[in-house]
Amino acid sequence: MKFFVDTADINEIKDLAATGLLDGVTTNPSLVAKSGAKNFISLIEDICKIVEGPVSAEVAATDYPTMLKEGQRLAKIAPHVAVKVPLTEDGLKVCKALSDNGTMVNVTLCFSSAQAILAAKAGATFISPFVGRLDDVGHDGMQLIADIVEIYSQYPKFETEVLVASIRHPGHLIDSARMGAHVATLPPNVIRQLYKHPLTDKGLAAFVDDWAKTGQSILDAA
Ligand code: G3P
């Protein structure tokens, strides 16, 4: 399973890339606004220098001709840019045009299996169903992931990867892995939560104390 980080904060990306566990990055207009970055193209260029895997950069327009031009501009930044387009009729037209030319496309704002089928037919590299936002309105976000994974598995010619987005907590990630989703994009705080278990902290504290009692040093050993 691939781990992407869902942030446009360059310092967070640097920090998490250093773990060696990061396979890609997703951004969106809200995350770019939150980062305070003033030059979107430079920001994506900088992220692409840090992370070798797919870096999602979202178009800003909503009409076909402008989205296509924006997508082509973003794709020029680096071969590992995945142009992010919304799941609309025009967005999927852009998806088809860009993917036919070999550009990776991440189709975002997916909230139904029908939308996910359309995205696969349009040649999307990634489909991004938003589980947290579905949960927020009383629906079952993880059920949508299960449905899309099952549907895609019926059609081996669909090459679209299920990228679970709008993840709010480690449980979303664990369920996604159980269902065989290809990618999870995780906010930095959720990635850090994954390491944590109170028994790990307690066990480590005991080992450190007991080791001190031995009076030894591994590095000073003869
Ligand atoms: O990047 C898309 C998605 O992950 C956004 O998540 O938390 O704004 O619902 P959220």
Side-chain angles (χ1 to χ4, degrees):
M1 179 181 218
K2 285 174 266 192
F3 276 15
F4 292 179
V5 65
D6 198 25
T7 186
D9 182 325
I10 203 88
N11 291 322
E12 288 279 34
I13 293 167
K14 275 185 196 156
D15 195 42
L16 290 163
T19 66
L21 300 179
L22 203 58
D23 301 301
V25 176
T26 52
T27 66
N28 65 36
S30 305
L31 293 171
V32 173
K34 189 176 161 195
S35 77
K38 295 292 172 230
N39 185 326
F40 180 47
I41 299 288
S42 301
L43 173 70
I44 299 299
E45 281 170 355
D46 290 346
I47 296 173
C48 283
K49 285 177 198 150
I50 300 167
V51 179
E52 288 177 9
V55 173
S56 287
E58 189 157 342
V59 296
T62 57
D63 65 282
Y64 173 74
T66 319
M67 270 195 282
L68 183 60
K69 278 188 208 142
E70 289 179 348
Q72 287 163 339
R73 174 68 187 91
L74 293 170
K76 272 194 197 147
I77 295 174
H80 58 300
V81 165
V83 175
K84 214 168 169 188
V85 300
L87 209 154
T88 60
E89 195 171 329
D90 277 14
L92 290 189
K93 275 170 69 181
V94 174
C95 174
K96 181 84 173 77
L98 292 175
S99 58
D100 280 353
N101 275 325
T103 295
M104 286 192 288
V105 181
N106 178 356
V107 176
T108 189
L109 291 167
C110 171
F111 294 95
S112 79
S113 298
Q115 291 179 320
I117 293 168
L118 290 174
K121 286 184 67 67
T125 314
F126 304 106
I127 181 68
S128 290
F130 279 29
V131 294
R133 292 194 196 184
L134 278 169
D135 291 352
D136 290 346
V137 295
H139 290 247
D140 185 347
M142 291 318 305
Q143 185 58 50
L144 176 60
I145 302 303
D147 291 344
I148 297 172
V149 169
E150 183 192 345
I151 291 166
Y152 281 8
S153 72
Q154 306 293 325
Y155 298 94
K157 284 194 177 165
F158 281 175
E159 291 176 353
T160 306
E161 297 194 359
V162 178
L163 189 168
V164 184
S166 187
I167 284 181
R168 301 271 200 265
H169 51 73
H172 277 147
L173 171 76
I174 295 162
D175 288 343
S176 301
R178 189 179 290 124
M179 291 168 186
H182 306 86
V183 192
T185 190
L186 302 144
N189 67 311
V190 176
I191 294 183
R192 295 196 176 96
Q193 278 177 277
L194 300 177
Y195 291 93
K196 291 288 175 193
H197 195 285
L199 291 178
T200 303
D201 295 342
K202 189 179 168 195
L204 183 58
F207 287 158
V208 168
D209 281 353
D210 289 341
W211 179 252
K213 288 176 202 159
T214 74
Q216 298 179 57
S217 160
I218 293 172
L219 295 179
D220 292 341

